[in-house]
Amino acid sequence: MAQYFADIFHTVSSVLQGMGITLKHFVRKPVTLQYPDERWVLPERFRGFVHNNIIRCNACLGCAKACPVSCIYIETEGKGKDRYMTRWAVDFNKCIWCGFCVDPCPTNAISMSHDYDHSLYDRRRLVYEYVPPDKPVPCHREKRLEMGYFVEEKSAGEGAEQPKPRAKPAPDPAPAAPPAPAPESPPAGADRKGEDQ
């Protein structure tokens, strides 16, 4: 009999405790954001989608080698001064947002943006192509100076004589949103599993 009344007391006290929590939230300011019109302010070091500033990129392949899941595809053509980058793409189907590609970049071309909401119906659209097919990017330092691409200047104390620029380098543009993905372009090497191993 004592257990019967103890169970009733426990039930009533549990209900009152739950209702007390509910009543507390009735008087609090709501925290719901009306997405997508309102968004959370993200921390400065938030790792969202990878952004590559192609003006600064010189196709050194450091980011592709550092990527643990091989989701960065870089293709070049030619040799020496005639070497051009014809493709720089990221397959966000494979990306794990680790940020390992940012550190080895010598020109600070890669950054982790605060962009995170790219919900799509077609997975092929998550392969982002950053180099237009009709406008390859020069890789050699002198060619980049001629064409007005970003070139990191060495400090005067290093002793290396600087080549005289033939054209004034273009200023760095403001970081823009990633270019529109190419739906019909599957990632290079997607069919070759284990090729790099």
Side-chain angles (χ1 to χ4, degrees):
M1 189 73 170
Q3 184 63 40
Y4 176 74
F5 286 108
D7 290 343
I8 291 175
F9 176 77
H10 180 68
T11 303
V12 172
S13 63
S14 297
V15 170
L16 290 175
Q17 188 178 4
M19 292 305 294
I21 293 171
T22 304
L23 289 172
K24 263 197 266 183
H25 283 278
F26 258 117
V27 295
R28 283 188 183 171
K29 185 179 178 182
V31 295
T32 305
L33 291 180
Q34 302 302 316
Y35 182 85
D37 299 325
E38 298 175 2
R39 296 176 186 236
W40 291 106
V41 177
L42 298 171
E44 184 182 341
R45 295 180 66 183
F46 176 81
R47 294 196 300 253
F49 276 68
V50 176
H51 176 260
N52 186 15
N53 185 350
I54 289 298
I55 298 292
R56 299 177 75 101
C57 182
N58 62 0
C60 69
L61 305 179
C63 55
K65 291 175 182 175
C67 181
V69 292
S70 302
C71 70
I72 297 177
Y73 308 106
I74 302 175
E75 295 174 6
T76 60
E77 290 180 359
K79 292 183 179 179
K81 290 186 180 180
D82 294 325
R83 183 170 168 258
Y84 284 85
M85 176 171 52
T86 56
R87 186 180 192 214
W88 199 102
V90 181
D91 184 0
F92 286 110
N93 292 298
K94 295 164 67 176
C95 182
I96 58 174
W97 286 268
C98 63
F100 287 176
C101 57
V102 176
D103 295 331
C105 183
T107 60
N108 296 324
I110 304 178
S111 61
M112 302 296 284
S113 68
H114 284 185
D115 197 8
Y116 60 88
D117 52 349
H118 286 218
S119 299
L120 301 166
Y121 289 105
D122 188 359
R123 282 185 165 192
R124 289 175 296 178
R125 293 184 61 200
L126 281 171
V127 179
Y128 280 64
E129 301 283 346
Y130 283 86
V131 178
D134 58 338
K135 195 175 179 186
V137 178
C139 300
H140 195 272
R141 180 184 176 86
E142 289 186 18
K143 186 69 82 171
R144 289 172 69 79
L145 280 168
E146 286 176 17
M147 297 180 71
Y149 282 81
F150 172 87
V151 175
E152 187 74 52
E153 294 297 332
K154 293 181 181 176
S155 63
E158 291 184 16
E161 191 175 352
Q162 298 296 320
K164 295 184 179 178
R166 297 185 189 114
K168 204 170 191 181
D172 290 344
E184 64 277 353
S185 174
D191 300 331
R192 298 172 289 181
K193 293 183 179 176
E195 181 181 89
D196 298 331
Q197 296 176 353

